[in-house]
Amino acid sequence: MRTTADTEPGSANVAVGELGGTPVTRQVLDILVAWGVTRVYCCPGSTEAAMLDAFVGRDDIELVLVSHESTAMAAADAEARLSGRPAVVYVHTNVGLANVLSHLSAARIAYAPVLVLNGLKPSVLAGRDGFTTLPHPDLGLRDLVKWDRVPASADSLPADLERALGIATAEPAGPVWLGLPQELLETTDPVDPRYPRPLPGPRRSRPSRAELRGVADLLTGATRTVLVSGGEVARHGASDLVVALAERLDATVLHEDRRGFERSSYPTRHPSFQGSYDARHPAVANADAVVFVGCQVFREFDVNGGPALPAAARVVHVHVDPSRIGRLHEVDHALVGHTEEVVRDLLDALGPRPATTPARTPAPTSGSGPSLSPHGSPAHRDLTGWVRPLVESLTGDENYVIDATTAGPALLGALPQTRPDQVLTTSSGSLGWGLGAAIGVALAQPERRVLAFLGDGVFQFGLPALWTAQRYRAQVTFVVLNNEAFAAVGLALGRFGGEAVRRGDWLGTDLSGPHLAQIAGGFGLHSERVLTPDGVGAAIGRASQPRGPSLVELMTSAKEE
Amino acid sequence: MRTTADTEPGSANVAVGELGGTPVTRQVLDILVAWGVTRVYCCPGSTEAAMLDAFVGRDDIELVLVSHESTAMAAADAEARLSGRPAVVYVHTNVGLANVLSHLSAARIAYAPVLVLNGLKPSVLAGRDGFTTLPHPDLGLRDLVKWDRVPASADSLPADLERALGIATAEPAGPVWLGLPQELLETTDPVDPRYPRPLPGPRRSRPSRAELRGVADLLTGATRTVLVSGGEVARHGASDLVVALAERLDATVLHEDRRGFERSSYPTRHPSFQGSYDARHPAVANADAVVFVGCQVFREFDVNGGPALPAAARVVHVHVDPSRIGRLHEVDHALVGHTEEVVRDLLDALGPRPATTPARTPAPTSGSGPSLSPHGSPAHRDLTGWVRPLVESLTGDENYVIDATTAGPALLGALPQTRPDQVLTTSSGSLGWGLGAAIGVALAQPERRVLAFLGDGVFQFGLPALWTAQRYRAQVTFVVLNNEAFAAVGLALGRFGGEAVRRGDWLGTDLSGPHLAQIAGGFGLHSERVLTPDGVGAAIGRASQPRGPSLVELMTSAKEE
């Protein structure tokens, strides 16, 4: 893992005969590599020299430079989701940390094991209120990470780093934070040779026999079962097993409610699939059993408790995170454990389909999209003319990222989802996540192009990501649905029904003005603006040609002729 | 203050016969107006409808829409610095709050009384982990604000709001935070008619007679006095008094160390002015008394204690914030109080200049800039050719904002500073602050053009501010010194002296690629790129013509011919 460099003796700081950095920063990278980390998303500052220098000349781990920390955070979140391994962000002091917090909430919700390394000024400066120090440099982390620590010394750093990676990846997985004071990174003391240590094996929990038996009995007795498939099914590689479970139970399958949707988990072309969860969905209304597998139940937006649970059905919730069970609604049965293990256990407990039962294919309902969105609005309907040619222009094999507040539901219902994780999105409400996330997806799966569907408000939040996309030639087509508005704010004003509605003065919503394709061109991307839906197909085709990123701006605000 | 609207009866939510919003949100605006607030910088979300609606039809307070919260925060900071009154930011839930934290640290350091209003989801959602809620929605505020609160009820909201404004403006001033759960804003209960209450009068503290006498005696006995003028001199309107004090004492005047510089406080063309504080400055080395007036002493960057205090001189520190005295260095005398009051007291205690003493004009040293920067680097020297024509192209009457990490010192030394607050900058390390700050300056003082000097790294951090600048036709010329690098990171790698230096592989520093003028053009700004210093003057001239913002990109990275 280490290489002996043939350079001349270096400065006093640097151990001779190794590559760059210091013994401890080289060891940090060795530990990350041992955990399968191949890149670190970094927006550096002047405290990071000893760490940056350690990357020089290494070919087993890459520093991916970003021009704003928010890009790094979203990219790492997406990469961790796709790889299932820890992904790493490195940011500079409290001002850098502040800029990851918004997207850190997205990683937290998605159980993404992201390690946030945070270069800190030398500890002695903090006590003296030095430059970019705070008494409590961890800002608002306590709600956003599973674990946070500043190592007490350089000696304890490797163990703390391995602990951080272990805790991030232990189920339920999630982000962690490690503060790295400059003096620890710059010490030239020799390091403890026991690190990196052998990786821990997988630790997957399963529910008890009695709990499994109870659910299996319920499902054996049920005749109208609905399976609701959530993002944890994809994260735990259980999609094929959930398909098998649906077939075994003759179940109708729905995706989880869009407010909690994080990632594709069930093939939408499978005959059992019938759209998104909604209490008014006919399959739900008629069900005698509903099994939520790896879902949030639910992510509540308004003070309405989120979607209702069906009154007439028995409800089962399968999740790896025991604290997620019963948060909003009591359920009849809970199975806590790793999704793949639980579904396999359930299939075993159910046994093979009785020979006397004919296979039943659920009657498809009209369309596969979430046609009954409780937050429907004119903005959604107007997009139909744009979404159809957009979807027709796809090969169906790309990866998709959605970060579009009012356009999201229509896209989520229309995009092909033949693979787990083919669509990634966030239920965090953190605007701009999608630009960085698309880069993370592109770097993690370079063989496929990514299409990132963005609102125009979102686009401005994530703008600096275009620089990183271009620098690393990320195979991303950014597709901006430009309605020239914070349309969600307009919807809220509409629901409020006050003076804004009476006067037609939609204050705080008008984002018109910028030419987003031209802005993207300034970053070096192939880009074009499309004024009518009939131009979509060709534009998407042209945008797929260049090796590297591109942008297509769809002027959905344009008046229809 | 209130207007009766002649609209039809509205929805159930809205009281009839008033303007928009609810009684409580109308009262919130009334209270802000009573405190002299004329605009609220806002990046809204769907929780803000009742507040947004209250702005509709009002002509005494304006909502300034921003496309990223960081713009709002920096603009409010700058406005508060110039007006001396509270400035207000309104952001959406924890994801919006996260995006102000970095620049909130800038406001905190600058004693800017910014009120951060933070729309929160209905309180009941937080207990159920609803959309954009956190158990502790205040994130990392405890180190960044003087006071933070979520009102217990709509009844207590007006008192809490006035308390927030009172605490923000009480000396030492600083930012405060008020969380506003949606249900409080949407209640239709009548409000307490006692609000807004009469404003409190000014409360300015002064040091004791004995302390003043001690310092006056010291200064009467001193013959080689240095006055160091800091940002608090400007904030408290004491610049003219400090000039008088300098003349009374025949003192050499220096600006505070650039690491702690926040705002112009002393006219650089005054004969007593001789550059920035540095322990090696001849006037400091020879001084028998050094008086720091309204300075940070100091903002430490490296573990070196910051600039040294002169060993041979007695040291006096005047500051309104008692917690700032002696943080880094013990001083001989401290005078805690409002800067204007303290300097006036000192002048009184000193009495008129003795008739026997001839006025002494300090011999000017070579140049007025901070020529002895401890962080000098090739990057600074290379800029001379660019900074000279840049400064020559100015009228000298504009306002200036500096947010440029490696170019900052050269600019700070070269720009005219004839008025207090003519130059604003930040010692927070929060990149991108300058773009929003320039907007705040332009809106607060629309009669003068603002030139905002930015690094290219900084520019990417603050990009969305261009949208707000264009929308509000802010009279700002953004001047980007594009060295195509995170040059400060390069300097740090150079100081570290490791593998990066040996290989010339300046990893983590290369920001080349984007055409920043083209990006600005995409936002609708007049913009151009300048390749050689001889093009600077004409470009700045053209950029000053349009009514509204413009951008000039100086390619300082270009090889000199």
Side-chain angles (χ1 to χ4, degrees):
Chain A
M1 194 171 294
R2 306 220 182 153
T3 320
T4 303
D6 55 359
T7 51
E8 298 169 25
S11 75
N13 269 354
V14 182
V16 178
E18 300 277 357
L19 284 181
T22 57
V24 72
T25 58
R26 288 193 290 272
Q27 189 177 43
V28 165
L29 296 190
D30 290 343
I31 291 171
L32 295 180
V33 168
W35 279 77
V37 176
T38 59
R39 57 182 73 88
V40 172
Y41 298 93
C42 179
C43 191
S46 55
T47 57
E48 276 71 55
M51 183 59 77
L52 293 178
D53 202 64
F55 282 90
V56 176
R58 284 188 81 129
D59 55 11
D60 54 353
I61 188 164
E62 178 188 19
L63 181 134
V64 176
L65 185 65
V66 300
S67 57
H68 191 280
E69 293 86 356
S70 60
T71 305
M73 188 65 223
D77 174 10
E79 183 190 297
R81 295 200 206 183
L82 292 192
S83 71
R85 293 193 302 271
V88 182
V89 165
Y90 200 112
V91 295
H92 171 68
T93 74
N94 58 295
V95 290
L97 179 62
N99 290 337
V100 307
L101 293 180
S102 181
H103 297 342
L104 187 54
S105 69
R108 177 63 158 154
I109 290 169
Y111 298 98
V114 176
L115 168 64
V116 179
L117 296 174
N118 193 182
L120 301 176
K121 281 282 183 183
S123 304
V124 67
L125 249 67
R128 307 195 295 234
D129 299 302
F131 187 72
T132 60
T133 68
L134 287 177
H136 310 94
D138 55 346
L139 289 171
L141 282 167
R142 60 178 166 172
D143 291 339
L144 299 172
V145 294
K146 293 176 67 178
W147 188 80
D148 61 277
R149 204 61 47 100
V150 178
S153 68
D155 286 345
S156 56
L157 197 157
D160 279 341
L161 176 57
E162 295 210 342
R163 203 165 1 256
L165 291 159
I167 291 169
T169 51
E171 294 293 352
V176 295
W177 177 86
L178 200 63
L180 298 175
Q182 194 173 344
E183 76 274 15
L184 299 197
L185 301 179
E186 294 190 353
T187 178
T188 54
D189 293 346
V191 296
D192 185 336
R194 290 174 301 164
Y195 298 91
R197 293 183 300 189
L199 289 193
R203 291 157 189 161
R204 297 177 162 191
S205 65
R206 300 163 61 194
S208 73
R209 285 178 187 81
E211 291 166 304
L212 285 163
R213 188 69 262 152
V215 173
D217 289 348
L218 164 67
L219 296 177
T220 300
T223 58
R224 300 178 308 282
T225 300
V226 171
L227 284 184
V228 187
S229 181
E232 293 290 284
V233 169
R235 192 167 75 81
H236 287 161
S239 290
D240 290 347
L241 286 168
V242 172
V243 170
L245 183 63
E247 291 173 351
R248 168 65 185 82
L249 294 171
D250 293 326
T252 298
V253 179
L254 303 175
H255 270 156
E256 68 184 305
D257 173 53
R258 74 169 177 89
R259 290 275 181 205
F261 193 97
E262 291 287 336
R263 50 208 287 175
S264 306
S265 62
Y266 197 86
T268 54
R269 291 175 187 162
H270 188 271
S272 61
F273 182 76
Q274 292 202 16
S276 283
Y277 182 83
D278 190 295
R280 295 165 294 174
H281 192 293
V284 175
N286 296 326
D288 55 2
V290 177
V291 186
F292 293 93
V293 186
C295 304
Q296 301 183 47
V297 184
F298 300 97
R299 182 149 293 268
E300 193 180 20
F301 185 82
D302 293 317
V303 191
N304 59 10
L309 289 182
R314 305 287 287 176
V315 174
V316 181
H317 191 185
V318 177
H319 208 286
V320 73
D321 183 353
S323 76
R324 207 155 259 303
I325 308 283
R327 274 205 196 179
L328 194 56
H329 298 295
E330 270 307 313
V331 294
D332 299 303
H333 293 266
L335 297 177
V336 175
H338 189 277
T339 316
E340 184 185 338
E341 302 289 334
V342 176
V343 178
R344 202 181 291 281
D345 274 341
L346 265 183
L347 282 166
D348 286 351
L350 287 164
R353 174 200 299 275
T356 54
T357 316
R360 181 177 68 89
T361 301
T365 54
S366 59
S368 63
S371 54
L372 293 169
S373 163
H375 301 284
S377 80
H380 299 179
R381 286 197 298 274
D382 284 345
L383 287 177
T384 316
W386 290 92
V387 170
R388 190 177 305 112
L390 197 50
V391 172
E392 287 169 357
S393 73
L394 306 173
T395 68
D397 190 50
E398 304 95 339
N399 282 316
Y400 309 117
V401 171
I402 303 176
D403 186 4
T405 309
T406 49
L411 290 162
L412 194 55
L415 289 171
Q417 301 184 48
T418 56
R419 295 189 308 277
D421 291 332
Q422 187 168 13
V423 172
L424 297 191
T425 187
T426 178
S427 62
S428 67
S430 177
L431 302 190
W433 171 90
L435 288 86
I439 295 171
V441 172
L443 297 185
Q445 294 191 355
E447 67 282 9
R448 289 195 175 92
R449 181 163 277 274
V450 183
L451 280 92
F453 302 98
L454 312 167
D456 55 312
V458 159
F459 177 76
Q460 285 206 44
F461 272 77
L463 255 179
L466 298 187
W467 181 84
T468 299
Q470 177 71 358
R471 168 56 53 96
Y472 294 91
R473 311 300 298 154
Q475 290 284 85
V476 179
T477 302
F478 298 99
V479 181
V480 185
L481 294 99
N482 187 355
N483 60 11
E484 304 193 286
F486 281 138
V489 176
L491 294 176
L493 284 169
R495 287 194 295 271
F496 181 72
E499 194 70 9
V501 171
R502 280 193 290 278
R503 298 187 179 216
D505 178 359
W506 301 96
L507 185 137
T509 67
D510 179 2
L511 271 185
S512 64
H515 193 295
L516 307 183
Q518 184 179 343
I519 292 169
F523 282 99
L525 277 66
H526 164 90
S527 61
E528 55 185 294
R529 178 178 255 196
V530 178
L531 299 177
T532 57
D534 55 13
V536 169
I540 295 287
R542 285 188 293 273
S544 306
Q545 296 306 318
R547 180 79 213 160
S550 55
L551 180 139
V552 177
E553 179 186 18
L554 308 182
M555 297 306 294
T556 63
S557 57
K559 296 283 174 290
E560 295 185 34
E561 54 272 64
Chain B
M1 194 168 290
R2 306 222 182 151
T3 320
T4 303
D6 56 358
T7 49
E8 296 169 24
S11 75
N13 270 355
V14 182
V16 177
E18 301 277 358
L19 285 181
T22 57
V24 70
T25 58
R26 288 192 291 272
Q27 190 177 43
V28 165
L29 297 190
D30 291 342
I31 292 171
L32 295 180
V33 168
W35 280 78
V37 175
T38 59
R39 57 182 74 87
V40 172
Y41 299 93
C42 179
C43 191
S46 55
T47 57
E48 275 72 53
M51 184 58 77
L52 292 178
D53 201 64
F55 282 89
V56 176
R58 285 188 80 131
D59 55 11
D60 53 355
I61 187 164
E62 178 189 19
L63 181 133
V64 176
L65 185 64
V66 300
S67 58
H68 192 278
E69 292 86 356
S70 60
T71 305
M73 188 65 223
D77 174 11
E79 184 190 299
R81 294 200 205 184
L82 292 192
S83 71
R85 291 194 303 272
V88 182
V89 165
Y90 200 112
V91 295
H92 171 68
T93 75
N94 59 294
V95 291
L97 179 61
N99 291 336
V100 308
L101 293 181
S102 181
H103 297 342
L104 187 54
S105 69
R108 177 63 159 156
I109 291 170
Y111 298 98
V114 175
L115 168 63
V116 179
L117 296 174
N118 193 183
L120 301 177
K121 281 282 182 182
S123 304
V124 66
L125 249 67
R128 306 196 295 233
D129 299 302
F131 186 72
T132 60
T133 68
L134 287 176
H136 310 92
D138 55 344
L139 290 172
L141 283 166
R142 60 179 166 172
D143 291 340
L144 299 171
V145 294
K146 292 176 68 179
W147 188 79
D148 62 276
R149 205 58 48 100
V150 178
S153 69
D155 286 345
S156 57
L157 197 158
D160 280 340
L161 176 58
E162 295 210 342
R163 204 167 359 258
L165 290 158
I167 292 170
T169 51
E171 295 292 352
V176 295
W177 177 87
L178 199 63
L180 298 175
Q182 194 173 344
E183 77 274 14
L184 299 196
L185 301 179
E186 294 191 352
T187 178
T188 54
D189 293 346
V191 297
D192 184 338
R194 291 174 302 164
Y195 298 93
R197 293 183 301 189
L199 290 192
R203 291 155 189 162
R204 296 177 163 191
S205 65
R206 299 163 62 193
S208 73
R209 287 178 186 82
E211 292 166 305
L212 285 163
R213 188 69 264 152
V215 173
D217 289 348
L218 164 68
L219 295 178
T220 300
T223 59
R224 300 177 308 282
T225 300
V226 171
L227 284 184
V228 187
S229 181
E232 293 290 284
V233 169
R235 193 167 75 82
H236 287 159
S239 289
D240 290 346
L241 286 168
V242 172
V243 169
L245 183 64
E247 290 172 351
R248 169 64 185 80
L249 295 170
D250 294 326
T252 297
V253 179
L254 303 175
H255 269 156
E256 68 183 303
D257 172 52
R258 73 167 177 92
R259 291 275 182 205
F261 194 95
E262 292 287 334
R263 50 209 283 175
S264 306
S265 62
Y266 197 86
T268 54
R269 290 174 187 163
H270 188 272
S272 61
F273 182 76
Q274 292 202 15
S276 282
Y277 182 83
D278 191 295
R280 294 164 294 173
H281 192 293
V284 175
N286 296 326
D288 55 1
V290 177
V291 186
F292 293 93
V293 186
C295 304
Q296 301 183 48
V297 184
F298 299 97
R299 183 148 293 269
E300 192 182 22
F301 186 83
D302 292 316
V303 190
N304 59 8
L309 288 182
R314 305 287 286 176
V315 175
V316 181
H317 192 185
V318 176
H319 207 285
V320 73
D321 184 352
S323 77
R324 206 154 261 303
I325 308 283
R327 273 206 197 178
L328 194 57
H329 298 296
E330 269 310 310
V331 294
D332 299 303
H333 292 267
L335 297 177
V336 175
H338 188 278
T339 316
E340 184 185 338
E341 302 289 334
V342 176
V343 178
R344 200 181 292 280
D345 274 342
L346 265 182
L347 282 165
D348 287 349
L350 288 165
R353 173 199 300 278
T356 54
T357 317
R360 180 176 67 89
T361 301
T365 54
S366 57
S368 64
S371 55
L372 294 168
S373 162
H375 301 285
S377 78
H380 299 177
R381 287 194 299 275
D382 284 345
L383 286 178
T384 316
W386 289 92
V387 170
R388 190 177 303 112
L390 196 50
V391 173
E392 287 169 357
S393 71
L394 305 172
T395 68
D397 190 49
E398 304 96 337
N399 282 316
Y400 309 117
V401 170
I402 302 176
D403 187 4
T405 308
T406 49
L411 290 162
L412 194 55
L415 288 173
Q417 300 184 49
T418 56
R419 295 189 308 277
D421 291 332
Q422 188 168 13
V423 172
L424 296 191
T425 186
T426 179
S427 63
S428 66
S430 176
L431 302 191
W433 171 89
L435 288 88
I439 295 171
V441 172
L443 296 185
Q445 295 191 354
E447 67 281 9
R448 290 194 174 93
R449 182 163 276 275
V450 182
L451 279 93
F453 302 98
L454 312 168
D456 55 314
V458 159
F459 178 76
Q460 285 206 44
F461 272 77
L463 253 179
L466 298 187
W467 181 85
T468 299
Q470 177 71 359
R471 167 58 54 95
Y472 294 91
R473 312 301 297 156
Q475 290 283 87
V476 179
T477 302
F478 298 100
V479 181
V480 185
L481 295 97
N482 187 355
N483 61 11
E484 302 191 289
F486 280 138
V489 176
L491 294 177
L493 284 168
R495 287 194 296 272
F496 181 74
E499 193 71 9
V501 172
R502 279 194 292 275
R503 297 187 179 217
D505 178 357
W506 301 95
L507 184 136
T509 67
D510 179 2
L511 271 185
S512 64
H515 193 294
L516 307 183
Q518 183 179 342
I519 292 169
F523 282 99
L525 278 66
H526 164 89
S527 62
E528 54 184 295
R529 177 178 257 195
V530 178
L531 299 177
T532 57
D534 56 14
V536 169
I540 295 288
R542 286 187 293 271
S544 306
Q545 296 306 317
R547 180 79 213 159
S550 54
L551 180 138
V552 177
E553 179 186 16
L554 308 181
M555 297 305 295
T556 63
S557 57
K559 296 283 174 291
E560 295 186 34
E561 55 272 67

